[in-house]
Amino acid sequence: CEVGERASPFWQDVAERALESPSIITVQRTYAGREYAFTVVPIPEENYANVYGADVTERVLTEQVLRQTEARLARALGASSGGIALREADRWVMRAVHGLPQETLGLSMTDDQTPVSGQVARTRAAIAIPDARQRDWLNAELMEQYQVRAVLAAPLGLQDRVIGVMSFNYERPAALTDAEIDFATKLCASLSPALENSRLYEAERRARERAEMRAAELEASQDRINEILNQTPFMLTRCSRDLRYLFVSR
Protein backbone atom coordinates (compact mmCIF):
# COMPACT_ATOMS: atom_id res chain seq x y z
CA CYS A 1 0.00 0.00 0.00
CA GLU A 2 1.05 3.60 -0.57
CA VAL A 3 0.43 6.86 1.29
CA GLY A 4 -2.85 8.32 0.07
CA GLU A 5 -4.05 5.02 -1.35
CA ARG A 6 -7.55 3.98 -0.31
CA ALA A 7 -7.67 0.97 2.01
CA SER A 8 -9.25 -2.26 0.79
CA PRO A 9 -12.90 -2.99 1.73
CA PHE A 10 -11.68 -5.50 4.35
CA TRP A 11 -9.55 -2.95 6.18
CA GLN A 12 -12.20 -0.27 5.82
CA ASP A 13 -14.64 -2.58 7.60
CA VAL A 14 -12.11 -3.40 10.35
CA ALA A 15 -11.30 0.27 10.94
CA GLU A 16 -14.98 1.22 11.02
CA ARG A 17 -15.74 -1.51 13.57
CA ALA A 18 -12.83 -0.40 15.74
CA LEU A 19 -13.94 3.25 15.64
CA GLU A 20 -17.57 2.41 16.34
CA SER A 21 -16.75 0.18 19.35
CA PRO A 22 -14.38 1.88 20.19
CA SER A 23 -12.11 -1.01 21.09
CA ILE A 24 -8.87 -2.63 19.97
CA ILE A 25 -9.35 -5.30 17.30
CA THR A 26 -6.87 -8.04 16.39
CA VAL A 27 -6.92 -9.87 13.06
CA GLN A 28 -4.67 -12.40 11.37
CA ARG A 29 -4.11 -12.40 7.61
CA THR A 30 -1.98 -14.24 5.07
CA TYR A 31 0.10 -12.22 2.62
CA ALA A 32 2.57 -13.72 0.14
CA GLY A 33 2.60 -17.01 2.00
CA ARG A 34 3.37 -15.41 5.39
CA GLU A 35 1.10 -15.08 8.42
CA TYR A 36 0.69 -11.64 9.96
CA ALA A 37 -1.07 -10.53 13.13
CA PHE A 38 -2.52 -7.02 13.09
CA THR A 39 -3.68 -4.88 16.00
CA VAL A 40 -6.05 -2.05 15.12
CA VAL A 41 -6.10 0.78 17.67
CA PRO A 42 -8.90 3.33 17.23
CA ILE A 43 -8.32 7.02 17.95
CA PRO A 44 -12.00 8.08 17.88
CA GLU A 45 -11.29 11.68 18.92
CA GLU A 46 -9.35 12.18 15.69
CA ASN A 47 -11.47 9.75 13.62
CA TYR A 48 -8.63 7.47 12.54
CA ALA A 49 -7.13 4.14 13.53
CA ASN A 50 -3.54 2.96 13.85
CA VAL A 51 -2.70 -0.51 12.52
CA TYR A 52 0.29 -2.43 13.89
CA GLY A 53 1.41 -5.60 12.12
CA ALA A 54 3.90 -8.34 12.93
CA ASP A 55 5.05 -11.45 11.09
CA VAL A 56 3.89 -14.43 13.19
CA THR A 57 4.61 -17.17 10.65
CA GLU A 58 7.06 -19.00 12.90
CA ARG A 59 4.62 -18.97 15.80
CA VAL A 60 1.79 -20.29 13.62
CA LEU A 61 4.01 -23.05 12.21
CA THR A 62 5.14 -24.02 15.70
CA GLU A 63 1.54 -24.29 16.89
CA GLN A 64 0.65 -26.40 13.85
CA VAL A 65 3.54 -28.77 14.56
CA LEU A 66 2.45 -29.06 18.19
CA ARG A 67 -1.13 -29.86 17.20
CA GLN A 68 -0.04 -32.46 14.67
CA THR A 69 2.45 -34.02 17.08
CA GLU A 70 -0.12 -34.17 19.88
CA ALA A 71 -2.63 -35.87 17.59
CA ARG A 72 -0.07 -38.45 16.36
CA LEU A 73 1.10 -39.20 19.88
CA ALA A 74 -2.49 -39.53 21.10
CA ARG A 75 -3.12 -42.16 18.43
CA ALA A 76 0.15 -43.93 19.26
CA LEU A 77 -0.81 -44.09 22.94
CA GLY A 78 -4.34 -45.18 22.15
CA ALA A 79 -5.86 -42.03 23.65
CA SER A 80 -9.31 -40.91 22.55
CA SER A 81 -8.60 -37.21 22.97
CA GLY A 82 -6.01 -34.76 24.21
CA GLY A 83 -4.76 -31.23 24.16
CA ILE A 84 -2.07 -28.70 24.94
CA ALA A 85 -2.73 -26.13 27.66
CA LEU A 86 -0.30 -23.22 27.93
CA ARG A 87 0.26 -21.20 31.08
CA GLU A 88 -0.79 -17.60 30.44
CA ALA A 89 -0.67 -15.32 33.49
CA ASP A 90 -2.40 -17.34 36.21
CA ARG A 91 -4.57 -19.50 33.94
CA TRP A 92 -4.32 -22.49 31.62
CA VAL A 93 -5.43 -21.80 28.04
CA MET A 94 -6.14 -24.64 25.60
CA ARG A 95 -4.09 -23.90 22.48
CA ALA A 96 -4.41 -27.26 20.74
CA VAL A 97 -7.05 -30.00 21.00
CA HIS A 98 -7.56 -33.43 19.50
CA GLY A 99 -10.77 -35.42 19.76
CA LEU A 100 -12.44 -32.71 21.83
CA PRO A 101 -15.19 -30.26 20.82
CA GLN A 102 -13.87 -27.28 18.88
CA GLU A 103 -15.25 -24.89 21.50
CA THR A 104 -12.65 -26.17 23.96
CA LEU A 105 -9.95 -24.47 21.86
CA GLY A 106 -9.10 -21.23 23.67
CA LEU A 107 -10.81 -22.39 26.87
CA SER A 108 -9.25 -20.63 29.88
CA MET A 109 -9.15 -22.42 33.23
CA THR A 110 -7.72 -21.95 36.73
CA ASP A 111 -5.68 -24.53 38.64
CA ASP A 112 -8.84 -25.57 40.47
CA GLN A 113 -10.71 -26.15 37.22
CA THR A 114 -7.90 -28.24 35.72
CA PRO A 115 -6.09 -29.75 38.73
CA VAL A 116 -4.13 -32.17 36.54
CA SER A 117 -2.31 -29.28 34.86
CA GLY A 118 -1.72 -27.65 38.25
CA GLN A 119 -0.26 -30.88 39.64
CA VAL A 120 2.07 -31.31 36.67
CA ALA A 121 3.25 -27.70 37.02
CA ARG A 122 3.93 -28.08 40.75
CA THR A 123 5.84 -31.36 40.45
CA ARG A 124 7.37 -30.61 37.02
CA ALA A 125 6.79 -34.27 36.21
CA ALA A 126 4.37 -36.37 34.19
CA ILE A 127 1.34 -37.81 35.92
CA ALA A 128 -0.71 -40.91 35.06
CA ILE A 129 -4.24 -41.42 36.38
CA PRO A 130 -5.55 -44.89 35.48
CA ASP A 131 -9.07 -44.18 36.73
CA ALA A 132 -10.23 -40.60 37.32
CA ARG A 133 -13.19 -41.72 39.42
CA GLN A 134 -10.79 -42.94 42.10
CA ARG A 135 -9.19 -39.49 42.51
CA ASP A 136 -11.51 -37.19 44.45
CA TRP A 137 -9.28 -34.15 43.88
CA LEU A 138 -10.04 -34.10 40.15
CA ASN A 139 -12.70 -31.96 38.49
CA ALA A 140 -15.35 -34.70 38.22
CA GLU A 141 -17.76 -32.44 36.33
CA LEU A 142 -15.17 -31.65 33.65
CA MET A 143 -14.18 -35.31 33.35
CA GLU A 144 -17.78 -36.39 32.86
CA GLN A 145 -18.49 -33.58 30.39
CA TYR A 146 -15.71 -34.74 28.06
CA GLN A 147 -16.01 -38.48 28.83
CA VAL A 148 -12.57 -38.83 30.41
CA ARG A 149 -11.82 -41.80 32.67
CA ALA A 150 -8.01 -41.92 32.49
CA VAL A 151 -5.37 -39.25 31.90
CA LEU A 152 -1.69 -39.06 31.03
CA ALA A 153 -0.20 -35.55 31.26
CA ALA A 154 3.39 -34.37 30.78
CA PRO A 155 5.05 -30.97 31.25
CA LEU A 156 6.20 -28.65 28.50
CA GLY A 157 8.98 -26.42 29.75
CA LEU A 158 12.62 -25.55 30.16
CA GLN A 159 14.74 -26.08 33.28
CA ASP A 160 12.56 -25.39 36.33
CA ARG A 161 9.74 -23.59 34.54
CA VAL A 162 6.62 -25.29 33.19
CA ILE A 163 5.04 -23.29 30.35
CA GLY A 164 2.43 -25.83 29.33
CA VAL A 165 0.99 -29.30 29.73
CA MET A 166 0.29 -31.90 27.07
CA SER A 167 -2.48 -34.29 28.09
CA PHE A 168 -3.91 -37.52 26.70
CA ASN A 169 -7.37 -38.70 27.68
CA TYR A 170 -8.99 -42.13 27.66
CA GLU A 171 -12.70 -42.93 27.67
CA ARG A 172 -12.11 -46.03 29.81
CA PRO A 173 -9.78 -46.86 32.71
CA ALA A 174 -6.28 -47.43 31.35
CA ALA A 175 -3.29 -49.24 32.82
CA LEU A 176 -0.69 -46.67 31.76
CA THR A 177 2.83 -48.09 31.78
CA ASP A 178 6.14 -46.52 32.77
CA ALA A 179 7.25 -46.81 29.14
CA GLU A 180 4.26 -44.73 27.97
CA ILE A 181 4.89 -42.11 30.65
CA ASP A 182 8.58 -41.93 29.70
CA PHE A 183 7.68 -41.66 26.00
CA ALA A 184 5.34 -38.72 26.61
CA THR A 185 7.86 -37.01 28.91
CA LYS A 186 10.71 -37.22 26.42
CA LEU A 187 8.59 -36.03 23.52
CA CYS A 188 7.39 -33.00 25.49
CA ALA A 189 10.99 -32.21 26.42
CA SER A 190 11.99 -32.26 22.74
CA LEU A 191 9.13 -29.91 21.82
CA SER A 192 9.68 -27.42 24.63
CA PRO A 193 12.50 -25.30 23.05
CA ALA A 194 10.44 -24.58 19.93
CA LEU A 195 7.43 -23.71 22.05
CA GLU A 196 9.47 -21.41 24.29
CA ASN A 197 10.94 -19.57 21.28
CA SER A 198 7.43 -19.06 19.95
CA ARG A 199 6.25 -17.70 23.30
CA LEU A 200 9.21 -15.32 23.58
CA TYR A 201 8.55 -14.01 20.07
CA GLU A 202 4.89 -13.50 20.92
CA ALA A 203 5.73 -11.72 24.19
CA GLU A 204 8.16 -9.40 22.37
CA ARG A 205 5.53 -8.66 19.73
CA ARG A 206 2.92 -7.80 22.34
CA ALA A 207 5.34 -5.57 24.24
CA ARG A 208 6.23 -3.73 21.05
CA GLU A 209 2.57 -3.28 20.16
CA ARG A 210 1.79 -1.89 23.62
CA ALA A 211 4.65 0.59 23.31
CA GLU A 212 3.52 1.66 19.83
CA MET A 213 -0.09 2.04 20.98
CA ARG A 214 0.98 4.14 23.93
CA ALA A 215 3.13 6.33 21.68
CA ALA A 216 0.17 6.85 19.33
CA GLU A 217 -2.10 7.77 22.23
CA LEU A 218 0.44 10.26 23.58
CA GLU A 219 0.89 11.78 20.12
CA ALA A 220 -2.86 12.21 19.73
CA SER A 221 -3.09 13.76 23.22
CA GLN A 222 -0.25 16.12 22.48
CA ASP A 223 -1.89 17.20 19.22
CA ARG A 224 -5.08 18.05 21.11
CA ILE A 225 -3.11 20.01 23.74
CA ASN A 226 -1.30 21.95 21.03
CA GLU A 227 -4.61 22.74 19.35
CA ILE A 228 -5.96 24.18 22.61
CA LEU A 229 -2.82 26.20 23.20
CA ASN A 230 -3.01 27.64 19.71
CA GLN A 231 -6.42 29.08 20.55
CA THR A 232 -5.11 31.18 23.46
CA PRO A 233 -4.92 34.98 22.90
CA PHE A 234 -1.24 35.11 23.83
CA MET A 235 1.90 33.32 22.71
CA LEU A 236 2.96 30.17 24.53
CA THR A 237 6.13 28.17 24.10
CA ARG A 238 7.43 24.89 25.48
CA CYS A 239 11.16 24.25 25.77
CA SER A 240 13.31 21.16 26.32
CA ARG A 241 16.01 20.96 28.99
CA ASP A 242 18.61 22.08 26.47
CA LEU A 243 16.42 25.14 25.76
CA ARG A 244 15.20 24.05 22.37
CA TYR A 245 11.67 25.07 21.41
CA LEU A 246 9.38 22.07 21.31
CA PHE A 247 6.23 24.10 20.67
CA VAL A 248 5.39 27.67 19.75
CA SER A 249 1.72 28.68 19.64
CA ARG A 250 0.47 30.30 16.45
Side-chain angles (χ1 to χ4, degrees):
C1 58
E2 301 291 338
V3 175
E5 180 183 347
R6 189 171 180 80
S8 69
F10 172 82
W11 286 111
Q12 290 180 41
D13 178 65
V14 171
E16 288 174 0
R17 284 191 287 117
L19 288 168
E20 289 172 0
S21 304
S23 59
I24 296 174
I25 293 178
T26 58
V27 295
Q28 189 166 310
R29 301 280 285 176
T30 302
Y31 291 104
R34 305 286 294 180
E35 293 290 330
Y36 294 88
F38 296 93
T39 302
V40 183
V41 184
I43 311 295
E45 298 85 354
E46 304 296 331
N47 197 35
Y48 71 89
N50 290 323
V51 180
Y52 306 98
D55 188 333
V56 295
T57 305
E58 284 70 25
R59 187 203 72 190
V60 171
L61 292 175
T62 298
E63 291 178 351
Q64 288 177 352
V65 169
L66 286 174
R67 287 194 295 269
Q68 294 167 358
T69 301
E70 198 282 334
R72 286 197 298 268
L73 182 55
R75 289 192 292 269
L77 293 173
S80 57
S81 64
I84 297 174
L86 298 184
R87 191 66 171 174
E88 299 182 13
D90 59 347
R91 303 181 72 87
W92 296 98
V93 181
M94 296 299 297
R95 292 304 183 192
V97 296
H98 166 72
L100 292 170
Q102 191 62 26
E103 60 264 25
T104 59
L105 190 63
L107 183 65
S108 176
M109 296 175 288
T110 64
D111 283 346
D112 290 337
Q113 292 172 316
T114 175
V116 171
S117 296
Q119 177 77 357
V120 170
R122 285 190 294 272
T123 61
R124 298 191 293 276
I127 182 174
I129 302 174
D131 190 345
R133 293 181 182 176
Q134 297 181 5
R135 306 293 176 92
D136 57 6
W137 53 273
L138 294 177
N139 186 338
E141 181 180 353
L142 191 69
M143 295 291 182
E144 290 294 333
Q145 181 180 356
Y146 297 115
Q147 301 178 358
V148 176
R149 281 293 301 273
V151 180
L152 169 59
L156 289 159
L158 297 172
Q159 298 178 349
D160 295 333
R161 188 163 58 92
V162 174
I163 59 177
V165 173
M166 183 180 289
S167 59
F168 308 95
N169 309 319
Y170 301 80
E171 294 179 343
R172 300 179 180 83
L176 299 165
T177 66
D178 290 342
E180 289 172 323
I181 297 171
D182 184 62
F183 179 48
T185 299
K186 288 180 178 177
L187 180 66
C188 286
S190 69
L191 293 173
S192 294
L195 179 60
E196 176 68 359
N197 289 339
S198 174
R199 284 169 60 88
L200 290 174
Y201 180 87
E202 181 67 8
E204 188 275 334
R205 182 183 70 82
R206 290 178 179 174
R208 184 176 64 252
E209 285 182 354
R210 286 195 296 269
E212 291 173 343
M213 286 187 285
R214 181 57 178 161
E217 292 168 357
L218 290 175
E219 181 181 355
S221 298
Q222 191 59 61
D223 288 342
R224 289 194 293 272
I225 291 173
N226 290 345
E227 183 178 348
I228 293 172
L229 293 178
N230 279 326
Q231 295 173 1
T232 60
F234 43 84
M235 187 181 78
L236 292 172
T237 64
R238 187 168 68 253
C239 298
S240 63
R241 285 191 174 184
D242 60 354
L243 301 181
R244 295 178 182 273
Y245 288 116
L246 299 176
F247 171 79
V248 178
S249 64
R250 296 190 295 272

